[in-house]
Structures are given as C-alpha cells and as structure tokens.
C-alpha cells in the first residue's frame, strides 16, 4: 500500500487525496438525494472495477457479471434471514461461492479454448441459467423474491449493514476506494504483468514461460470474488432480491458500461465512468422533466445516443483523455 | 442536481470550486408549515418491461387531482417514471422528497416499491402502495408503508370462494382443473397462495397440476399442448398483460376448449389488446379481482373525468389500475385532511387510522390493520361479455348473470 | 396421475405419443423462423466480424414494420416481408458504410457498446412511437390450424416456416452462384487475400451487412404472425440468435436453420417434459455444452 502511494507522482497524490477528502466530507453539506446518487456511483465504480480486472487486464470479456452480484447477494441474504449470520461474516461465504462459480466458468472457458465473443456468450449463458435456477429455488423465495426484514431495533448495527443512507454511503465509498487500491496493487504485481502479457499475446506469453491458464483463472477468481462483495452490499442496501432483477442481463450490461466509457485497463477508468454515467442518467431525467417532455423512453434515447457518441469519440475511454488534460499520468505499463 | 464538469486544474480554483460545489449541495429547506394542499409524488414504471401497467396507473393519477377536488381534497402531484428499475426508484424517491413531496404513492413493481420503502422509512415520509401483491411488503416491519391492495393470499382466497359461488350460480360441475401461472413475482405469489389455500378451500374439483410458464415466452403453444394432454375441465390462470392473448390464441388453434378459463386474480384477460386481438374469442373468461363499484359517486365521478381525458381508452378496461391508483391518492389526501399537517409522523399516523366509507373499489370502508395492510378488499367475478368487462358476481352489484361453460371457439362469430 | 385400464392405457399412450409429435412439429416450425433471424446474424458476424448486439432490436423493428403495413394497408406480412427486407437491406448498407465500418476490426467491447447504444435507442424510439403494449397482427387465418391425423399445426407457423426456408434457399443460391456472393465468401475466408486480388472489401462488407439485416427484417415480418410486437423483445431475440448461431455453427447457413430447429424443438420438449418456465435453462445448458465441447457448432467450418 505504502509502496503504491509512494509510486505516485506528487501531482497525482494531491488530486487523489483531495478527491477522497471531498468525498469523505460531502455528507456534511450534501442532501440525501446527492448521497443516494453518489452511493450508486460508488457501487458501480466498485463492481465496474471488479469487471475491469477481468476484461481490462486479463482480456476476458464477461457479459454475465451480474451472476456474481446475484450470488453474493443471495448467499449473504440467505445466511442472514435463515441463520442470523451478519454480512460481515456472510461476505466470506459469498466470496467463496461466487469464486467457485467464476472458477467453473473460467475453467470451462480456458480449458476448452473458448475465447472472445464465445467466452462472452458462455458468461451470458451461465448467468441466465442461474437466473432461471433461482426462479425455481423455493427456499430462496423463487421468483417471488427474498426479503430482508426491516428491524428498527437493529438500526446502528453497522457491521450488519443496518442503518441509514450515511452508513451505506461510507461503506460504498470504502468499497470503491478499496477496489481501486486492490486493482492498483494487483496490476503492479507480478500477476498483473502476467495478465498484461497474456492479454497482449497469449502465445508469446506462454513462450516466455507464463502459465496463461493460471493467470487467467486468477483474474476470474479475483474478479468474481470482488463482484460478490458488491452483491452483498446491494442485498442489504435494498433489502429485497428478485432473480429476474439481480441476475438480469440488463444489469450485466449496465455494470460494464462504466469501465468501458471510463477507460478499460486503467485503474481510475471505472471510477470516472461511473461518475459520468450515473449522473448522466439522473441528469437526463431532470432535464426531460424541466423541458416538460413527458415521454417515457426519451431519457433512454438520449442515454443510448450518448453511449454511441462517447465510444465513437473516445474509444479508449474518457479517463486517459481526462488524465492528460489535468496533467496526471497513470503509469500504464 | 446538476452534472458537473471536471474542476479546472489549479489549487485556488480547486478551493473555490469546492466551496461553490458545497454551497450548491446544501440541503434545501423543506417547508413544513401549514400547507393548503398535499404534495404527493407518484412513482410508476412508465417505461421498461412494466410500462403497460405503469402507464395505465398513470392515467388514473392524471385525472385524480380534479376528481379529488370535487370531494374536497387538494393535492399537488409530481409524476416520476421509475423505468421499471429499483435503482432509479430509490434515487428518484430521494429527489422528490427533496423537492418537497410529503407523501409518495407507487409503484406496482415490488422491487421498486421496497427500494422506495427504504427511503420513506428513513425520511419518515408516508408511502401508500397503490398496487403490489407480494405478501412481504407489509410483513417486513416498515412503519411508513401502507398498502391498499390485497396480498396474493387474499386474492387467491377470495378468488377461490368466488369460483365456488360461480359453480353454484351456473350449476356447472367440473371435475378437474389445472393452474397455469407466469413464473414471475406476481404469478409465484399466487402459486404459493394456491398451494397453501386450495387444499382447504372446499372446491368440488381436483387440481391436476400447476404449470409455471416463462413470462418471456413468445408463445404458449407448448403450455397449451400440455394442457391438452391433461385435459382439465377448468383452466385457472394467472397471466400478465400480453400472455392472455397468446394463451387463448393457442387454445383456439389447438382446438382445446375447457369448460371455462378462470383467473383467481390477475391482469391480462381484460386488456384492450386482448379484446382487439381476439374479437369474439375474447368473451367468457372470468377473472376474480377487486373491481370498481359502479354504484358509488366517486366511481362515477372518476369515470366522468376519465372519458374526456382518454378518448382512446375505455374506463371499463382501465378501472382496475385507475381505481387503485386513485384510491391511494385519496387515502393520502384524506389522511392530510384529518392530520391537518404535512408533518411526516403525524401524517402517517392519520393515514394508518384511515376509515373511508365511500371510495371507488368494491368493498366496505378502507381501513388498515396493524401492519398497514387493508385486509377488507373483496373480489368480484368479472366476465368478458361483448368484449367488455362485466361484473357477474356478487349478485348485489352484478349487471348480468355469469355464463359457464363457455361456448366453443368455432361457434363464435 | 390417473391409473386407467389396459385399453384406456393404450389409448392414452398413443395420445401422449401424438402430443409429443405435436410438440416437436411446432418446435420445428417455430425454430425455422428463429433460424432465419439467426441467419442474418451469422452472415454479419461470419463475414464482417461485427458482433451485432442490437440484432434483436432490428428484428423487432421488422415486426413493427409488418404490423404497421398490416394495420394500415391490410397487407399480409408474408407479402410485405419482401419490401421490408429490401428496405432493411438499404438501411443495413447505409449503416455499415457510415457508422459501423469504423468499428470493424476494433475491440469487441467497443463494438458492443456501440450496438448496445443503438439497441437502446431503437427500443425506446419504438416505445415512444407505439407505446408499451404488445401489438398483434390479427391475421384472418391467425386462429386456423391444419389437422393432419393426430397433428394439429398452426397455419401461421406453417406459412412462416415455408417462407423462412425459401429465403434461406435464396440466400444460399446467392452466396453459391453469384459473383458477389462468392466475393463475400472470399472475404470471410481470407480477408487479406481478398483485398490483394482487388475485391472492394468495404463495399462487400456493406452489402453483407445489408443482406444480414434484410434477413432480420424478413424474419421480423414473419415473426409478427406468430408473436406480438413489443418494444422490449429485443434482448431476448438477440440472445436467441446468438445461441442458434453458436449451436448451428458460424458461417453456415444450413447451420443457422438447423440450429434454429434444434433450439426450437429442445425448448419445446424441455418445456413439455419438465416445466415450461425452465425451458430456457435447457437452451443455455446446450449453449454451454456446445461452446465447450464443439465450439464450431454443428455445421461450422473449422476456424
């Protein structure tokens, strides 16, 4: 960690520290609406970062990452509802199970040479399969949903994620910051360099003696485990889970928009992407309301057009460009 | 809330920028003085996969202020599209409360409703659920949530009772039935209720099987083939908007003619497209659901306001969504009148003590139990006749007698 | 279930047998139409190598186009299928030449975002134009069926299946026996070589995209006879098309149709035997199996 911090240029450090401080202090002046948006931004920055690890660094396109969100959410929620096991403990079970699924998907893919679009479809199939399976799991509520009770007496038990907006704001912020630190650390490690080598040219990497299979599996395992933690947060933030919602392919797509728009394979890309897209969505709602346009769907049209524009103009993401503008360099090896 | 551009790169600019940002973000003062009208935010899924129902409810919300005024209530409505997405529901709920909404009505989709419940509970703003059948909505312990809509269990109980009444009224004796339902939140809630309640409901026929179909299915031909194989006398269905059309269409094509199609409580069989797509084939299914009481003044006023505002929609077809949405707003307005204040906790207390004798849907007064659930919402047996939903039971409000068994498909012109 | 006597049992067995045949036949017919839709994707992906994640949305536009023509002019989708296909060809050609061309060869995730954006725009423009309710094309023969012995087959399914096969055959002929078709196949097989021998690759790509979209448009027109048009159907169709293309084999036209049949039948049988709400699970399991064990699909060429 310290080594990471020392490795940054002073300018970068100033920006980073300032930004973090701003976010930590925001609740003092911000209203709940802004806090709820920021919480959402942090959540998407975190899961986007987890996905970024697998795609941006290890080069494996996963379009079914909602699978891990859902698994993490359901495992932690089930443990709480049935056994009273709090999320601070349940998260470990969530990580194990999600990583197991991720490992299975990874093993199926890598062992059998399933790549590119085909691998992406494999991930979609895994997520959809699990979604329908959960629709039929009676003990998890099936398609009727799983509900976490609201217990006033427990308010304040932050380790059980029982609390108000402020609690979730800081937990989400911690997750997002932790995610950034984790990815930054990993990518500067030996494993990180192996990932880059495999991503650029797997055959050459193998020739150099890198165990590509292990490197890719590591990426999938860490990515899925990380994502599951986001799922645990989600379950206790919303207190209700429906397979059709949480495993939905729309969610898988939603969580990868941020990292792609922000900048794949960069440490801050997912964060920037989340900070662009979530306010964009909310802002468009406010804009269409102010313009008096009462056409449901209009906001989504603008959103889609913006996505097209962004990927057209800045295909490698907004962050690399932004970093240049503010004079910060991210050491992209 | 405005999306801000990146802060320019200069230390002084950064400081000034942060201060300015902080000033902009300061919480607006929420007026809690003696307001003349109640500001209610109506959050509905008007886009996304629940759009058909959301837009139908929206039509009810649009005409509500005028009708409520006729009965002495002043409300000021804010309409929000939650896009069938709980994330949006949550942030938009925060936003509308920021903008001064003193009460929230919504949201048809249980996941979104619960997302909003988190916010309303924390901010002490009453949430009145207009439509939402997941039983757990009023079981989770929220103090700021009331629901004026039957749970899946109540719908099924009332629905099965009405089936008994139907059989008695038409002297029909089916021996077997199959229960077909969509495998979504609502359908599963109904299925769970059926599994629990049917064995003790005292119905004269046997339930051969319960079939769950994929709500994303393009057609129900396989399901109908399965029905054909089982050959029940009655088909009990829980469908969603577009599925009922597919069901009947495939039944016609496969020449499957049960004695009757009866729904213990679900949408689909009385949608406008159902009538338009099927013509005379749309007649005779029966659905047991709460329905607008044509005899009350409020219903008549609602219908009178609906017609000019919605020339392309029939009130008879929309009365379910429109009626319940209107009633939710009525409950909020009535609570406001009795509380005399828009203060959250007091308003909520008043709402919990609701006792409205005359309203829109059939049944006795609107009242909530300790959990915030209205347990006294009865169902009526409504049958499609001449492509119009027609109440056939209970006899006190029926406009015509029920017809069972239904005439064969080929015999209809 | 019931326990009838011996004669009853024999009658029931034959009845159940006929029911299974019914299910399979319906599955085949539906699958052929889905196969046509997948054909468009196979052509686009196989040649231009662009992953069209808005594929389903284009099919839905085709459905609405046929629906509109039917509602306003009373024209049967089986007839309007051809002008719709022609229009889609033009759209596909223009789209590829303008927007998509700059994305050919780019990373998959970029294509993905582009087409996801396109898909969102299309779906919501449809929502705003037509409203969220499902729109059926109420064909006069929409409720009729053919009775062939124990078989009950929907007329609409028979007609659309025949049309789907006809279009696929026409396409096959085009790729096999025309100069342009051969040139396109050359691009798919060996891009560098094709450029070297002087083929106008850009133009051929645009033609191919046009053909792919024409298939989709035609398939959409056919689908509106068996399903109702709704704005939210896009993603499900996209996924379906991908599953069929993978199972059937990329770059194989017969593969797309056979894949369609296979998926149609397996889903129908799975729905019938197990539980209808689980039938998609079966398709996804099949997809995973194919991806892992035989990635080139049933009839795809070895890469």
């Amino acid at each position: 960690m310290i080594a990471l911090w020392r490795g940054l240029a002073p300018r970068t450090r100033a920006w980073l520290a300032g930004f973090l401080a701003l976010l930590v202090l925001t609740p003092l002046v911000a209203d709940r609406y802004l806090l709820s948006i920021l919480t959402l931004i942090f959540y998407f920055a975190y899961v986007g970062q987890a996905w970024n690890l697998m795609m941006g660094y290890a080069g494996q396109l996963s379009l079914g990452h909602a699978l891990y969100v859902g698994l993490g959410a359901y495992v932690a929620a089930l443990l709480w509802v049935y056994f009273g096991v709090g999320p601070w403990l349940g998260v470990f079970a969530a990580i194990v199970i999600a990583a197991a699924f991720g490992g299975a998907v990874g093993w199926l893919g890598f062992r059998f040479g399933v790549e590119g679009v085909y691998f992406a479809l494999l991930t979609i199939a895994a997520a959809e399969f699990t979604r329908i399976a959960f629709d039929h799991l009676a003990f998890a509520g099936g398609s009727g949903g799983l509900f976490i009770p609201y217990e006033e007496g427990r308010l304040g038990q932050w380790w059980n994620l029982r609390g108000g907006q402020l609690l979730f704001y800081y937990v989400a912020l911690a997750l997002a910051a932790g995610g950034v630190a984790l990815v930054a650390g990993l990518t500067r490690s030996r494993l990180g360099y192996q990932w880059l080598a495999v991503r650029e040219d797997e055959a050459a990497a193998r020739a150099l003696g890198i165990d590509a299979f292990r490197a890719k599996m590591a990426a999938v395992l860490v990515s899925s485990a990380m994502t599951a933690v986001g799922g645990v947060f989600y379950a206790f933030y919303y207190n209700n889970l429906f397979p059709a919602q949480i495993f939905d392919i729309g969610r898988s797509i939603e969580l990868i928009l941020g990292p792609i728009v922000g900048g794949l394979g960069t440490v801050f890309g997912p964060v920037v992407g989340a900070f662009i897209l979530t306010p964009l969505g909310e802002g468009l709602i406010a804009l269409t309301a102010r313009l008096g346009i009462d056409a449901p769907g209009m906001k989504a049209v603008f959103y889609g057009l913006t996505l097209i524009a962004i990927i057209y103009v800045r295909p490698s993401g907004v962050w690399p460009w932004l970093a240049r503008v503010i004079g910060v360099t991210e050491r992209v090896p | 809330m405005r999306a801000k551009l990146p802060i320019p790169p200069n230390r002084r600019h950064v400081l000034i920028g942060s201060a300015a940002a902080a000033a902009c973000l300061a919480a607006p003062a929420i007026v809690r003085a003696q307001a003349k009208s109640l500001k209610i935010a109506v959050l509905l899924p008007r886009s996304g996969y629940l759009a058909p129902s959301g837009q139908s409810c929206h039509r009810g919300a649009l005409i509500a202020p005028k009708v409520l005024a006729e009965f002495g209530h002043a409300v000021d409505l804010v309409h929000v599209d939650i896009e069938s997405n709980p994330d949006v529901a949550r942030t938009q709920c925060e936003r509308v409360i920021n903008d001064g909404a003193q009460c929230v009505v919504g949201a048809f989709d249980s996941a979104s409703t619960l997302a909003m419940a988190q916010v309303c509970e924390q901010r002490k703003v009453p949430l009145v659920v207009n439509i939402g059948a997941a039983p757990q909505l009023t079981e989770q312990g929220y103090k700021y949530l009331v629901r004026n809509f039957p749970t899946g269990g109540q719908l099924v109980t009332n629905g099965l009772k009405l089936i008994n009444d139907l059989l008695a009224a038409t002297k029909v004796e089916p021996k077997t039935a199959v229960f077909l339902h969509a495998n979504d939140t609502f359908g599963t809630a109904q299925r769970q209720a059926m599994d629990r309640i049917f064995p003790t409901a005292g119905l004269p026929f046997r339930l051969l099987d319960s079939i769950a179909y994929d709500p994303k299915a393009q057609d129900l031909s396989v399901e109908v083939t399965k029905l054909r194989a089982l050959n029940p006398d009655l088909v009990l269905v829980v469908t969603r908007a577009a599925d009922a059309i597919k069901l009947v269409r495939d039944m016609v094509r496969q020449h499957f003619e049960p004695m009757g199609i009866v729904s213990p409580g679900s949408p689909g069989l009385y949608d406008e497209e159902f009538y338009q797509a099927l013509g005379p084939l749309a007649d005779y299914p029966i659905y047991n659901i709460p329905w607008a009481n044509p005899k009350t003044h409020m219903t008549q006023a609602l219908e009178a306001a609906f017609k000019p505002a919605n020339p392309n929609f029939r009130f008879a077809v929309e009365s379910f969504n429109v009626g319940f949405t209107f009633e939710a707003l009525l409950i909020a307005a009535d609570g406001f009148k009795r509380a005399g204040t828009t203060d959250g906790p007091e308003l909520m207390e008043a709402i919990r003590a609701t006792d409205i004798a005359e309203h829109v849907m059939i049944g006795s007064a609107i009242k909530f139990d300790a959990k915030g659930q209205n347990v006294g919402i009865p169902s009526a047996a409504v049958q499609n006749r001449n492509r119009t939903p027609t109440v056939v039971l209970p006899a006190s409000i029926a406009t015509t007698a029920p017809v069972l068994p239904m005439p064969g498909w080929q015999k209809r012109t | 279930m019931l326990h009838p006597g011996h004669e009853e049992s024999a009658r029931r067995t034959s009845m159940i047998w006929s029911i299974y045949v019914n299910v399979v036949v319906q599955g085949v017919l539906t699958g052929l139409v889905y196969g046509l839709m997948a054909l468009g994707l196979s052509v686009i992906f196989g040649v231009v190598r662009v992953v069209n994640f808005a594929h389903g949305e284009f099919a839905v536009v085709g459905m609405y186009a046929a629906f509109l023509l039917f509602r306003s002019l009373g024209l049967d989708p089986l007839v309007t299928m051809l002008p719709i296909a022609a229009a889609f060809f033009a759209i596909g050609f223009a789209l590829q030449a303008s927007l998509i061309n700059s994305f050919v060869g780019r990373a998959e995730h970029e294509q993905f975002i582009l087409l996801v954006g396109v898909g969102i725009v299309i779906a919501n423009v449809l929502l705003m134009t037509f409203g969220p309710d499902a729109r059926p094309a109420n064909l006069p023969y929409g409720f009729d069926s053919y009775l062939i012995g124990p078989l009950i087959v929907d007329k609409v399914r028979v007609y659309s299946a025949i049309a789907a096969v006809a279009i696929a055959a026409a396409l096959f002929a085009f790729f096999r026996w025309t100069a342009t078709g051969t040139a396109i196949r050359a691009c798919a097989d060996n891009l560098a070589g094709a450029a070297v021998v002087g083929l106008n690759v850009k133009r051929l790509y645009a033609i191919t995209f046009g053909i792919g979209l024409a298939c989709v448009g035609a398939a959409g027109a056919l689908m509106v006879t068996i399903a109702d048009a709704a704005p939210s159907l896009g993603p499900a169709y996209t996924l379906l098309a991908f599953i069929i293309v993978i199972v059937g084999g990329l770059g194989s036209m017969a593969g797309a149709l056979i894949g369609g049949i296979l998926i149609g039948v397996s889903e129908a049988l799975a729905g019938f035997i197990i539980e209808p709400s689980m039938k998609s699970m079966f398709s996804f399991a099949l997809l995973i199996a194919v991806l892992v064990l035989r990635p080139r699909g049933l009839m795809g060429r070895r890469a």
Side-chain angles (χ1 to χ4, degrees), chain A residues 11 15 22 26 29-34 36-37 40 43-44 128 131-132 135-136 138 141-145 147-152 163-165 168 234 236-240 242 244-245 248 251 254 279-283 285-286 289-290 294-297 299-300 321-322 325-326, chain B residues 1-3 6-10 14 18 21-22 25-28 46-47 49 55 58 62 80-81 83-88 90-92 94-95 98 109-112 114-115 118-119 121-124 134 136-137 139-143 182-186 188-189 192 212 214 216:
Chain A
R11 196 158 189 182
W15 269 104
L22 182 67
T26 300
V29 294
D31 63 49
R32 283 189 53 128
Y33 174 49
L34 183 62
S36 70
I37 295 182
L40 214 51
Y43 167 79
F44 279 114
E128 287 286 287
R131 174 181 66 81
I132 302 176
D135 261 345
H136 294 86
S143 52
F147 301 82
I148 296 181
Y150 174 84
E151 292 154 300
E152 206 163 8
Q165 186 63 53
F168 289 102
Y234 192 91
F236 285 82
Y237 186 47
Y238 284 100
N239 289 316
N240 69 94
F242 295 87
Q245 303 251 355
D248 183 43
R251 289 218 163 253
E254 196 181 34
L280 175 69
E282 292 289 321
I285 294 179
R290 197 145 303 199
D294 185 33
K299 170 229 161 178
W321 167 82
L322 183 64
V325 163
I326 62 176
Chain B
M1 205 241 118
R2 305 198 191 320
I7 304 165
N10 175 298
V14 168
S18 322
L25 302 173
R46 279 152 54 206
S47 58
Y49 78 102
Q55 292 194 6
H58 181 59
L62 284 175
V80 178
D81 172 14
E83 303 170 23
S84 311
N85 183 337
D87 291 342
V88 175
R90 187 168 190 143
T91 53
Q92 290 303 304
E94 296 274 7
R95 181 176 72 88
N98 263 16
D109 166 37
S110 295
S112 300
L114 282 165
Q118 311 299 315
V119 178
E121 192 76 16
Q122 291 170 16
R123 299 190 72 165
K124 304 209 183 329
Q136 296 90 342
L137 280 178
E139 299 285 330
Q140 298 307 296
Y142 295 104
K143 303 252 176 2
N183 200 41
D184 62 2
T185 317
F186 185 64
T188 309
Q192 288 165 350
D214 182 356
K216 294 191 182 164

Side-chain angles (χ1 to χ4, degrees), chain C residues 154-264:
Chain C
D154 307 337
K155 268 193 189 172
V156 284
R157 275 181 225 271
V158 174
Y159 295 159
S160 16
I162 294 176
V165 174
I167 295 183
L171 217 58
F172 183 76
F174 169 78
F175 279 114
R176 197 76 190 289
W177 291 310
T178 66
T180 319
T182 318
I184 293 177
R185 280 191 298 136
C187 284
D189 287 340
N190 189 338
L191 188 56
V196 162
V197 300
L199 293 178
N200 185 345
V201 173
K202 256 181 95 167
R203 190 172 149 271
L204 288 173
Y205 273 0
I207 294 180
T208 313
F209 206 87
I211 293 177
L213 275 199
C215 282
V216 175
L222 292 178
M223 282 199 291
V224 84
T225 63
I226 46 183
D228 307 329
S232 51
L233 293 175
Y237 281 148
T238 305
L239 207 50
L240 187 63
F242 271 104
I243 296 177
I244 294 175
V245 163
I246 303 265
V247 168
L250 202 55
S252 162
M253 267 177 281
L257 286 182
I258 293 180
I261 292 176
L262 193 61
I263 294 292

Side-chain angles (χ1 to χ4, degrees), chain A residues 65-103:
Chain A
H65 245 57
L67 169 64
Y68 310 119
V69 176
L71 284 174
Y74 265 100
V75 168
L78 284 168
L79 283 174
W80 175 251
V81 166
Y82 279 98
F83 302 110
V85 175
W88 60 279
L89 204 51
V91 71
F92 294 106
I95 286 178
V96 167
I97 299 214
F101 272 73

Side-chain angles (χ1 to χ4, degrees), chain B residues 52 212 218 223 226 249 253 276, chain C residues 142 145 228 237 274-275 277:
Chain B
Q218 283 315 295
E223 287 76 0
K226 235 178 154 159
R249 216 190 270 140
R253 289 187 196 146
Q276 289 192 5
Chain C
S145 40
D228 307 329
Y237 281 148
I274 323 173
E275 182 82 59
S277 54

Side-chain angles (χ1 to χ4, degrees), chain B residues 166-167 170-178 205 231-236 251 256-262 283-286 383 403-409 412:
Chain B
L166 270 170
L167 298 180
T170 56
K171 313 268 194 298
V172 169
E173 288 169 19
K175 300 275 187 308
T176 55
V178 169
F205 50 83
N231 203 21
D233 292 326
L234 275 186
V235 178
L236 306 177
M251 279 189 183
F256 175 59
E257 297 174 354
M259 277 188 200
I261 301 173
V262 183
D283 284 341
Y284 301 109
I286 300 176
Q383 185 168 42
V403 168
L404 262 185
M406 61 180 192
W409 307 118
R412 316 218 195 146

Side-chain angles (χ1 to χ4, degrees), chain A residues 167-245:
Chain A
L167 168 69
F168 289 102
Y169 176 85
Y170 281 117
V171 171
L173 175 57
L175 278 179
V180 168
L182 178 63
V183 169
L186 275 176
T187 55
R188 277 156 183 69
S189 71
R190 192 194 176 119
L191 184 59
Y193 285 103
Q194 290 187 341
W195 283 337
L196 282 176
V198 167
R199 182 186 79 188
E200 294 307 315
D201 189 338
E202 188 166 333
R206 269 195 236 259
L208 281 173
I210 295 178
D211 187 341
F213 178 76
R214 272 181 68 177
K216 288 197 284 192
M217 280 298 272
V220 176
L221 288 172
V222 176
S223 177
S224 52
M226 252 181 100
T227 311
V229 178
V232 175
F233 172 85
Y234 192 91
F236 285 82
Y237 186 47
Y238 284 100
N239 289 316
N240 69 94
L241 296 171
F242 295 87
Q245 303 251 355

